[in-house]
Amino acid sequence: MSLYYDAVSVLTAPNSTGGSFKSRLYSSRNLKANPAQVYALITEAAKWDVLLKEVIDQAGILKLEPKLTPLLALLLVHDHLLSKNGIAAPTSHPLRQAVERHKIRLKGEFTKARVRRSCANIPDLKDAVRREKLALGAGASTGSVYPRWVRINNVRTTMEEQMRSTFAEFEVVDSLADLVVGGDDKVKRMRIDPHIPDLIAVAPGVEFSSTTAYKKGEIILQDKASCFPAYLLLGEEWEGGDLIDGCAAPGNKTTHMASLLSKARSGANFDPNKRKAPSHIISMDASAVRAKTLKKMVSTAGADDIVTVLQGQDFLALDPHDPQFENVTGLLLDPSCSGSGIIGRDDVPQLTLPAPGKQTASQGIKRKRNEPSNSPSTPSSTQTQTKTKTTDQQPSSTSENDTPTEGITQDRLTKLSNLQFHIVSHALSFPAARKISYSTCSIHLTENEAVVRRILDSDVARKRRWRVMRRDEQPVGLRGWDARGVDREEADIPGAEGHESVDLTEEELGGCLRCWPGDEEGTGGFFVVGFVREGEDEDYDASEGGKMDKGGEEEKKSEKNVAEKEEEEEDDEEWEGFSD
């Protein structure tokens, strides 16, 4: 029974560390069962939880078996009904017997549940339950649908080719809500994104890991919001010059830039005579471990000829006047941030549980002191939304350079914003630079508009004539994006008092793009802004622009330590493909 006790422990224990659910589980020293079996049990049970709840409630076994908690019952009944080998415990074990005493009733309710859904077999039933969960959990009543985003990689293919192959059986719909509700439930649906070229939304849970396009790197799973920086920087057709991705791992934004360059080169309007040499991307990450993943993603995307990866290179250590950067005209910067905008950063599944029976405090499994219980008064026992990792099991695209949100304070945000300011200021010093995109997966003004204000007030920005890219200068697709910068934020984190505000003009706020979790756009929280340089420099010594004061150096070292700690938690797993 250690498998089930361990699963309950994992699902109910509070998370105080960063890293994915899978990586934390595999690195745990408290499990008696095989971590792979615990992970499989939890993720598979999460796919069936709404049906298992229905079966257990209808069978009424929790009222008859006081030793069973709702969570234990769901896990045990899952294996009893759906596992090839049944419950992984001796036949004499009391909890196995507590379930199998009711096997006729459970099987009968399971059959009734299948018939109610008009499903002839288990695969059809599983698909029906998946659609049911999507309709319940996708927020149809609130408009909050979080689809799976698929980006076409123009280095290897085109949108037209993918429409004829990978998406040939998909029906085009007009809204994200239409992906999960209405129409023929057996029809796959897709929505062509109106803001980012070559981006497609499909229903959450649609799998691509077995498709030829995915294996060949022709399609890349990447959240819509994280597609903003590269598109904002390059637009429909890059003006020319080399590019730098300064905080690049795991590589979604780098490969997106490569895709945009490839599409521009193959476009009907491309004139090679207007450029001295093809644009090249120089991509790097301060973490040598993350940089290996970056290099692998670049290769899989077919972008080795377009991208040079500087492994373990700290962007702040670059000399802007190094000859290899003399043609760099654009820089993309997505530095470490609080990660406060990430949806489901803690991706431990929250299961829909059956109604508890009458239990005393001493009944059920033994728990460690302070471990949450599954009593009727425990909020977690009635949670209704399951957030599971898809079977692709890939690192999250929005985890690029982010840090855990656990325990975030105003002091922590201030330190992060100082680091972000130093990184962007350093980018402004590159002699040929004309355009920069800066982004975070944070919703906090401190890391976003406040950093913009500091940048505009800096000597390097004023003397080199940097300003915010106006809305009317942005690529066509992004001009229509409604959510823009904010100039005020109420305090909602430890250490903050009152509210924070910034003094930016309406034009400058209009140049800032925001994504908000929970709205109808289907993204997590995100911020991106473009900076453009116009005219010639005033009397300014660019060698001073990237210098960092002592306090900034300490923040940089502290942030590097955070990144190294995250690596131990997240990067010990073998990389399995493009992220989501």
Side-chain angles (χ1 to χ4, degrees):
M1 287 296 293
S2 60
L3 171 63
Y4 305 98
Y5 291 147
D6 282 346
V8 169
S9 176
V10 167
L11 287 168
T12 57
N15 172 35
S16 59
T17 62
S20 68
F21 161 52
K22 184 178 180 182
S23 67
R24 296 197 305 271
L25 190 153
Y26 273 69
S27 63
S28 174
R29 295 183 175 89
N30 299 321
L31 301 181
K32 293 182 179 179
N34 184 316
Q37 292 179 314
V38 177
Y39 180 80
L41 172 62
I42 292 173
T43 54
E44 285 303 310
K47 296 174 184 177
W48 290 94
D49 60 344
V50 294
L51 183 137
L52 294 171
K53 166 182 166 57
E54 180 182 323
V55 169
I56 293 169
D57 283 343
Q58 293 296 321
I61 67 172
L62 286 177
K63 296 178 181 178
L64 302 172
E65 300 292 345
K67 290 184 177 181
L68 290 177
T69 65
L71 184 49
L72 261 180
L74 188 139
L75 296 172
L76 290 164
V77 171
H78 171 272
D79 277 7
H80 173 66
L81 293 174
L82 296 163
S83 173
K84 181 178 180 180
N85 297 318
I87 296 175
T91 56
S92 59
H93 196 285
L95 289 182
R96 176 169 175 172
Q97 292 179 343
V99 171
E100 293 184 344
R101 271 195 290 270
H102 310 282
K103 61 183 180 181
I104 295 177
R105 186 177 302 177
L106 288 168
K107 186 175 181 180
E109 294 299 337
F110 184 78
T111 300
K112 291 178 184 178
R114 178 174 58 79
V115 171
R116 279 194 291 270
R117 291 164 175 81
S118 302
C119 295
N121 51 49
I122 296 300
D124 286 348
L125 179 60
K126 185 176 184 179
D127 191 51
V129 172
R130 180 185 65 81
R131 294 193 302 270
E132 197 173 308
K133 284 168 62 63
L134 289 176
L136 290 172
S141 62
T142 63
S144 301
V145 178
Y146 294 101
R148 164 152 285 189
W149 297 97
V150 184
R151 175 170 62 78
I152 307 302
N153 176 21
N154 289 287
V155 178
R156 293 197 180 277
T157 186
T158 64
M159 174 72 100
E160 292 73 21
E161 290 176 2
Q162 291 305 305
M163 291 300 100
R164 292 193 298 266
S165 55
T166 307
F167 297 95
E169 298 180 357
F170 283 70
E171 173 187 292
V172 178
V173 296
D174 296 326
S175 71
L176 296 182
D178 290 336
L179 295 175
V180 295
V181 294
D184 183 352
D185 286 339
K186 294 186 180 296
V187 173
K188 295 180 180 179
R189 304 179 184 90
M190 58 176 281
R191 182 185 187 233
I192 298 175
D193 190 72
H195 303 106
I196 303 294
D198 306 314
L199 186 68
I200 295 170
V202 299
V206 176
E207 299 175 11
F208 289 93
S209 59
S210 61
T211 65
T212 300
Y214 178 87
K215 294 176 180 178
K216 289 184 176 180
E218 295 174 347
I219 60 173
I220 294 173
L221 307 181
Q222 180 176 354
D223 183 72
K224 175 177 177 174
S226 73
C227 293
F228 279 31
Y231 183 46
L232 180 65
L233 183 64
L234 276 75
E236 281 77 19
E237 186 172 352
W238 179 234
E239 300 166 354
D242 292 336
L243 297 149
I244 282 181
D245 187 346
C247 318
N252 285 317
K253 298 176 182 68
T254 288
T255 57
H256 190 193
M257 287 196 290
S259 178
L260 290 168
L261 287 179
S262 294
K263 184 176 182 179
R265 290 176 185 175
S266 61
N269 298 324
F270 176 69
D271 183 357
N273 296 320
K274 290 183 178 180
R275 299 177 187 166
K276 296 180 180 180
S279 297
H280 195 77
I281 301 168
I282 304 168
S283 188
M284 68 200 69
D285 198 274
S287 162
V289 175
R290 291 179 185 269
K292 289 180 180 178
T293 299
L294 166 63
K295 190 170 181 62
K296 187 179 292 187
M297 292 188 75
V298 168
S299 295
T300 305
D304 286 317
D305 292 339
I306 304 173
V307 179
T308 295
V309 176
L310 304 181
Q311 297 194 49
Q313 175 63 59
D314 186 343
F315 174 72
L316 285 172
L318 294 182
D319 178 4
H321 298 281
D322 189 309
Q324 67 177 316
F325 308 129
E326 63 183 1
N327 294 321
V328 170
T329 58
L331 297 96
L332 186 151
L333 305 166
D334 186 58
S336 296
C337 72
S338 65
S340 55
I342 296 173
I343 297 295
R345 170 66 180 174
D346 180 12
D347 55 351
V348 178
Q350 304 296 315
L351 304 181
T352 301
L353 300 180
K358 295 180 180 179
Q359 298 176 326
T360 65
S362 63
Q363 292 170 330
I365 65 169
K366 294 181 180 179
R367 287 182 291 271
K368 297 177 182 179
R369 184 174 297 179
N370 298 327
E371 183 177 310
S373 70
N374 285 302
S375 65
S377 61
T378 304
S380 62
S381 68
T382 58
Q383 289 172 321
T384 58
Q385 174 62 22
T386 298
K387 293 181 180 179
T388 64
K389 222 171 185 180
T390 65
T391 54
D392 295 52
Q393 296 178 10
Q394 303 161 335
S396 169
S397 64
T398 49
S399 70
E400 294 185 13
N401 306 298
D402 63 283
T403 58
T405 58
E406 296 289 339
I408 194 69
T409 63
Q410 185 61 44
D411 181 63
R412 175 63 174 154
L413 288 181
T414 299
K415 290 180 178 179
L416 284 168
S417 68
N418 288 339
L419 175 69
Q420 294 151 1
F421 167 73
H422 287 305
I423 288 174
V424 180
S425 296
H426 189 59
L428 302 181
S429 301
F430 282 72
R434 309 297 302 185
K435 190 180 292 186
I436 291 170
S437 73
Y438 165 65
S439 60
T440 74
C441 48
S442 170
I443 61 173
H444 294 300
L445 183 145
T446 300
E447 299 177 274
N448 299 326
E449 289 87 356
V451 171
V452 173
R453 180 69 270 164
R454 291 178 66 185
I455 291 298
L456 296 177
D457 290 340
S458 67
D459 286 344
V460 62
R462 288 188 289 103
K463 294 182 178 181
R464 301 206 71 207
R465 300 179 183 271
W466 286 97
R467 61 171 175 79
V468 170
M469 183 191 300
R470 298 190 304 270
R471 183 170 184 166
D472 63 0
E473 297 173 312
Q474 294 172 357
V476 175
L478 292 181
R479 292 177 202 169
W481 185 258
D482 292 331
R484 296 284 156 169
V486 298
D487 59 2
R488 182 185 176 94
E489 178 181 77
E490 298 298 328
D492 63 349
I493 57 174
E497 298 180 1
H499 69 273
E500 182 177 7
S501 60
V502 293
D503 182 19
L504 292 172
T505 67
E506 287 297 319
E507 183 175 84
E508 290 165 344
L509 288 173
C512 301
L513 295 101
R514 282 273 196 164
C515 297
W516 296 100
D519 66 10
E520 70 279 3
E521 298 293 348
T523 70
F526 204 81
F527 174 88
V528 63
V529 63
F531 295 99
V532 293
R533 180 169 154 242
E534 55 184 13
E536 299 300 322
D537 296 357
E538 293 183 6
D539 184 16
Y540 173 72
D541 182 359
S543 64
E544 296 294 317
K547 287 188 176 180
M548 186 180 294
D549 59 27
K550 183 177 180 181
E553 286 283 5
E554 292 178 354
E555 286 157 13
K556 174 187 170 186
K557 292 178 182 177
S558 174
E559 189 61 23
K560 188 173 182 180
N561 290 337
V562 170
E564 289 173 350
K565 182 178 180 181
E566 280 195 291
E567 286 168 20
E568 295 175 359
E569 295 168 343
E570 294 184 356
D571 292 325
D572 55 347
E573 300 175 43
E574 182 180 355
W575 175 73
E576 299 179 272
F578 290 104
S579 62
D580 200 0

